[in-house]
Amino acid sequence: MPELPEVETTLRGIAPHIEGKTVEAVILRQSKLRWQVNPDLGEILSGRQVLSCGRRAKYLLIRFQTGVLLIHLGMSGSLRIFTPSDGRIGRPDRHDHVDIVFSDGTVMRYRDPRKFGAILWYEGIEEHHPLLEKLGPEPLLEAFCTDYLYAGLKAQKRAVKLALMDNAVVVGVGNIYANESLFRAGISPRRPANRLKKKECALLVETVKAVLRRAIETGGSTLRDFVDSDGKSGYFQQEYTVYGRHNQPCPRCGGLIVKETLGQRGTFYCPNCQK
């Protein structure tokens, strides 16, 4: 599943191509995604100008004067940009479900083999959308800080990794980046969240930010289906220290990386280095 760095990479890829442009048409080939795509989307967006593009958690936000288009990439979704000059638009295949065509000929194409993503139109204040209003802070902003995390974990007896992956605590720290952040902080993913000391919370905040920033710099992680807006794969997977390295040597101590299941997700850590 594309995680926050992949979504941020996608945002940075599409925004320069569509901001300020006017929608000419929407081609809807498949409306049955995770939630039904509004069949009137073409009529709603036609003639409307994209004011700005943004991101909240793993949701891409394309803002118009009359509302906002929320796009979630689901398990296998991706967005591609085609321009009249590159000659790559070609014929869509069966997994290319939605095209947003702009007046200058630019096309933004949504592709989703598993059809678990979402394209939702909302005419209210975006912060009040039911999918956004209860989300925790963005991990790369100042609101995600030592005092916030320490206070938020005090009453939580569940494993710290599960708390870190909870969007009500902090958004966008998915499975890969939770594994990597906890390893770099030297904290066992199995530790009860309320057992973390304040200095450990400070270190965890620091490592989460560093891991996510590095992942964004390298274009995210390659998860079978993910491609960025140019069709290129991310390269952060080349820097994994524990994720996917079951029974391989720990880069710090040389002991073997262990794999367990927490919250139905594969959890990788070093029992020697993470306490």
Side-chain angles (χ1 to χ4, degrees):
M1 174 185 292
E3 299 191 26
L4 186 148
E6 289 77 45
V7 179
E8 180 67 23
T9 299
T10 298
L11 169 64
R12 296 181 184 188
I14 66 170
H17 295 283
I18 68 173
E19 286 183 335
K21 294 185 179 180
T22 300
V23 175
E24 182 175 282
V26 174
I27 302 172
L28 182 57
R29 304 182 188 90
Q30 172 60 266
S31 63
K32 295 181 180 179
L33 302 179
R34 182 174 185 180
W35 296 289
Q36 186 84 15
V37 180
N38 189 328
D40 298 325
L41 190 60
E43 182 178 344
I44 292 170
L45 296 185
S46 182
R48 303 292 183 184
Q49 184 183 42
V50 175
L51 300 182
S52 66
C53 298
R55 178 190 56 76
R56 181 71 171 105
K58 298 181 185 180
Y59 293 93
L60 291 162
L61 307 173
I62 302 177
R63 303 181 181 100
F64 298 82
Q65 186 174 5
T66 53
V68 59
L69 192 66
L70 283 77
I71 300 177
H72 194 288
L73 300 178
M75 298 293 293
S76 60
S78 64
L79 289 173
R80 299 284 297 277
I81 294 291
F82 300 97
T83 61
S85 61
D86 63 22
R88 295 183 302 142
I89 296 178
R91 297 181 61 183
D93 70 19
R94 63 193 182 96
H95 299 309
D96 294 335
H97 304 312
V98 182
D99 282 1
I100 298 180
V101 183
F102 295 89
S103 57
D104 70 342
T106 298
V107 174
M108 184 174 73
R109 178 168 291 167
Y110 177 77
R111 175 181 172 84
D112 190 352
R114 300 183 193 176
K115 296 186 289 189
F116 203 64
I119 297 179
L120 303 171
W121 175 250
Y122 185 63
E123 294 184 349
I125 299 173
E126 65 184 53
E127 291 87 354
H128 296 166
H129 190 284
L131 294 172
L132 305 181
E133 63 180 353
K134 295 182 180 179
L135 294 176
E138 290 285 333
L140 296 179
L141 298 184
E142 291 183 6
F144 182 61
C145 62
T146 301
D147 289 341
Y148 167 80
L149 186 61
Y150 183 65
L153 297 185
K154 272 186 176 181
Q156 301 201 37
K157 296 181 180 179
R158 58 181 169 170
V160 63
K161 184 188 175 220
L162 299 183
L164 198 60
M165 292 177 62
D166 185 345
N167 280 329
V169 175
V170 58
V171 301
V173 186
N175 192 38
I176 291 175
Y177 303 106
N179 278 286
E180 292 296 308
S181 298
L182 287 164
F183 174 76
R184 298 182 192 202
I187 297 170
S188 170
R190 302 173 69 249
R191 279 264 300 276
N194 61 0
R195 298 285 182 86
L196 264 66
K197 299 176 182 178
K198 193 168 187 177
K199 64 179 182 181
E200 292 176 311
C201 287
L203 182 56
L204 187 54
V205 166
E206 180 182 323
T207 58
V208 165
K209 290 178 183 287
V211 165
L212 290 176
R213 286 190 180 115
R214 179 57 184 162
I216 291 169
E217 288 174 3
T218 56
S221 301
T222 297
L223 297 177
R224 289 191 306 190
D225 301 302
F226 175 70
V227 291
D228 68 14
S229 60
D230 290 321
K232 301 172 184 176
S233 298
Y235 295 99
F236 183 73
Q237 81 283 357
Q238 297 178 4
E239 301 181 15
Y240 289 165
T241 50
V242 290
Y243 182 81
R245 301 188 70 243
H246 180 220
N247 281 335
Q248 294 184 40
C250 169
R252 285 181 182 165
C253 72
L256 294 182
I257 300 297
V258 170
K259 179 183 179 182
E260 294 185 7
T261 300
L262 281 176
Q264 300 181 326
R265 304 300 298 274
T267 300
F268 302 85
Y269 67 101
C270 174
N272 298 326
C273 296
Q274 293 173 256
K275 303 297 183 180

